[in-house]
Amino acid sequence: MALAYDPLFISSSDKSLSAIDVASPPHPMVLTQDELKRIAAYKAVEFVQSGMVLGLGTGSTAKHAVDRIGELLRHGKLDNIVGIPTSKKTQEQALSLGIPLSDLDAHPVIDLSIDGADEVDPFLNLVKGRGGSLLREKMIEGASKKFVVIVDESKMVKHIGGSKLALPVEVVPFCWKFTSEKLRNLLEGYGCEANLRLGEKGKPFVTDNGNYIVDMRLEEDMGDLGAVSDAILRLPGVVEHGMFLDMASTVIIAGELGVKIKHKHTTSS
């Protein structure tokens, strides 16, 4: 389905924008989820400037942003960009687009990262990692001066875990069942299920780092996310989890009636 309006209908340089900025198309129409993702991604790329070191996210939404950055480089509208990919898949995509790449060893401080999210709560806490790249995403986006998150409106939840879908936890393969049971016991008060993620032919899904993922599904609000985060990370065998707490600088949300931009530490609605 073709877009009926320009997805870049908010200028990031407009100083009159409030904490939550809304723009509506002149003739609302039904858009697919992928079209909404592309609108959000294109808006995020407006934050990119020549000379930046960029964290390049992973997933269906971030893919649109990486494509857009490659397009702007080809047309000379951006130059001197260095990308730090959050996954092997994104690395392959960026190389195919001619985006120069490096890593955190060479660039320990990143100007801007752009990535999607699986959930966003009212305080801009995130769930990420249903695509399996949560460890590298957290390393790169945690090293960023600014982290712009791009989502469609279906990803907004009242609380982390509110979608009833997976909260991923990356674990070492050694005795993963032991680790999975420890995770389930830790979170059983929230109606938790813990299941090993499977990949092709029913074999365990393996991350870019050679680890497994245990997907946690929760029925209840976890409350103090910081305390839960710390408790999960203290379990031997756990590498990282998919809660990205207090990391997002800006969240761009594409919906049927336009784009909303929510900034960190704001409570406006």
Side-chain angles (χ1 to χ4, degrees):
M1 179 185 300
L3 293 175
Y5 57 92
D6 183 355
L8 304 181
F9 45 70
I10 299 179
S11 171
S12 59
S13 62
D14 186 347
K15 303 303 182 182
S16 67
L17 297 180
S18 60
I20 299 179
D21 309 313
V22 183
S24 299
H27 303 291
M29 61 179 292
V30 177
L31 300 175
T32 67
Q33 188 178 41
D34 190 62
E35 287 167 341
L36 293 174
K37 290 177 179 179
R38 184 162 70 91
I39 291 168
Y42 277 38
K43 174 52 57 181
V45 175
E46 288 190 1
F47 288 90
V48 177
Q49 299 176 10
S50 294
M52 279 187 166
V53 177
L54 299 175
L56 305 177
T58 297
S60 57
T61 310
K63 180 180 184 298
H64 288 302
V66 177
D67 283 342
R68 179 65 169 168
I69 291 166
E71 178 184 0
L72 294 175
L73 281 170
R74 285 196 308 275
H75 292 292
K77 296 181 179 179
L78 286 176
D79 58 35
N80 195 28
I81 292 293
V82 175
I84 313 291
T86 56
S87 67
K88 293 179 180 178
K89 186 173 183 179
T90 300
Q91 178 179 355
E92 293 170 359
Q93 179 194 3
L95 288 173
S96 73
L97 295 168
I99 300 174
L101 299 182
S102 188
D103 58 29
L104 284 173
D105 290 334
H107 297 277
V109 178
I110 295 172
D111 295 304
L112 169 68
S113 284
I114 299 174
D115 205 353
D118 301 307
E119 292 183 3
V120 181
D121 79 2
F123 303 100
L124 306 192
N125 294 312
L126 317 172
V127 170
K128 291 177 50 57
R130 290 178 189 158
S133 301
L134 61 116
L135 176 58
R136 296 190 186 190
E137 288 173 340
K138 190 168 285 189
M139 290 176 68
I140 290 167
E141 289 149 13
S144 302
K145 296 178 183 177
K146 187 176 183 66
F147 176 27
V148 176
V149 179
I150 45 180
V151 294
D152 66 85
E153 58 191 355
S154 71
K155 301 302 192 296
M156 306 305 294
V157 295
K158 293 182 178 179
H159 60 82
I160 291 299
S163 69
K164 304 283 193 282
L165 298 175
L167 168 60
V169 181
E170 187 162 343
V171 303
V172 297
F174 175 74
C175 294
W176 67 263
K177 291 182 181 178
F178 172 84
T179 307
S180 178
E181 184 63 15
K182 290 290 186 181
L183 285 165
R184 190 192 65 78
N185 289 338
L186 177 66
L187 298 178
E188 65 179 349
Y190 308 109
C192 174
E193 294 182 7
N195 299 296
L196 181 70
R197 184 178 299 184
L198 301 179
E200 295 181 1
K201 299 181 180 179
K203 295 182 179 180
F205 175 88
V206 179
T207 71
D208 285 348
N209 316 297
N211 297 316
Y212 291 171
I213 287 182
V214 174
D215 285 324
M216 320 290 291
R217 287 177 170 80
L218 308 170
E219 291 294 328
E220 306 292 337
D221 185 346
M222 290 181 286
D224 187 342
L225 297 178
V228 174
S229 168
D230 291 344
I232 291 174
L233 292 175
R234 282 197 298 268
L235 291 176
V238 168
V239 178
E240 188 53 85
H241 60 68
M243 287 190 289
F244 285 50
L245 307 180
D246 197 31
M247 288 179 62
S249 307
T250 300
V251 176
I252 298 175
I253 309 153
E256 294 293 343
L257 298 180
V259 169
K260 294 182 181 179
I261 302 180
K262 299 186 70 171
H263 300 294
K264 187 176 180 179
H265 301 317
T266 64
T267 58
S268 301
S269 60

